[in-house]
Amino acid sequence: MSNRSELLARVVGESQRHYAAYTLFNQAMADRIGLHPTDVQCIALLDLEPGPVTTGEIARLTGLASGSASRLVDRLEKAGFVRRLPDPNDRRRALVALTPDAAGRLEEAWDTPGRAFGAVLERYTDEQLEIIADYLHRTAEVGREQARRLTSAPRSRTDPRPRSRS
């Protein structure tokens, strides 16, 4: 095996370990703050947005169907993490925004893990951080594209889930 193929295999293996560890971490964080893991991810994604978004945009960001996204917003609103605001451009629509205290509630839970993850990043040079950021950006795009492909493609014959009776 060549050095490059060994390195690629290592990157793939470490990526799989990273995804598994992050999934477990996300579940633990969700348990800590009393939410579903998808809700925690939605809050994180909303925090990255420049302003309030529609429920349809939340569906796009999370990969959920529109009905599931609406239920997610309902749960987050009930838990006090988001609020619905009137859309100034369309009275029929509402926008979803994080509540002012949502960030503070998450910072408390995120404090220790955030410092631990930050300590790892401090070990890298600016040039290395550029490469890491590029890799994460590109693989996130691939992940979103593949999730869309998987959710929109017909299920295989070997899929054990029951088929709907349309």
Side-chain angles (χ1 to χ4, degrees):
M1 192 184 294
S2 74
N3 199 19
R4 179 162 177 90
S5 52
E6 288 172 2
L7 184 56
L8 287 170
R10 179 177 172 213
V11 169
V12 168
E14 291 301 329
S15 289
Q16 290 172 330
R17 286 181 185 89
H18 172 263
Y19 298 140
Y22 190 80
T23 299
L24 294 171
F25 169 74
N26 189 56
Q27 179 67 59
M29 180 63 75
D31 291 345
R32 171 59 63 108
I33 58 178
L35 295 174
H36 186 276
T38 304
D39 299 358
V40 173
Q41 288 305 303
C42 180
I43 292 168
L45 292 169
L46 286 173
D47 193 39
L48 294 172
E49 291 298 307
V53 298
T54 65
T55 302
E57 185 67 10
I58 289 173
R60 189 192 65 76
L61 289 170
T62 60
L64 295 172
S66 61
S68 296
S70 292
R71 287 187 296 279
L72 182 149
V73 171
D74 291 342
R75 286 192 308 270
L76 291 177
E77 186 175 41
K78 184 177 180 183
F81 283 96
V82 301
R83 60 186 170 154
R84 285 182 167 96
L85 307 167
D87 184 338
N89 300 317
D90 185 346
R91 292 182 315 160
R92 298 167 295 170
R93 263 190 342 185
L95 298 175
V96 179
L98 291 175
T99 60
D101 69 325
R105 291 171 64 189
L106 292 175
E107 281 176 27
E108 183 181 326
W110 182 251
D111 182 54
T112 299
R115 281 183 288 164
F117 286 116
V120 171
L121 292 173
E122 286 298 322
R123 299 178 57 206
Y124 295 97
T125 65
D126 289 353
E127 183 177 302
Q128 290 170 322
L129 290 172
E130 287 285 344
I131 293 167
I132 292 168
D134 179 66
Y135 170 77
L136 292 171
H137 176 79
R138 290 173 186 235
T139 56
E141 283 186 357
V142 169
R144 284 187 294 272
E145 289 169 14
Q146 293 306 308
R148 278 192 296 275
R149 182 187 65 77
L150 289 168
T151 56
S152 66
R155 284 189 267 156
S156 71
R157 289 179 180 218
T158 59
D159 188 334
R161 294 176 295 174
R163 295 190 181 270
S164 64
R165 297 181 193 172
S166 304

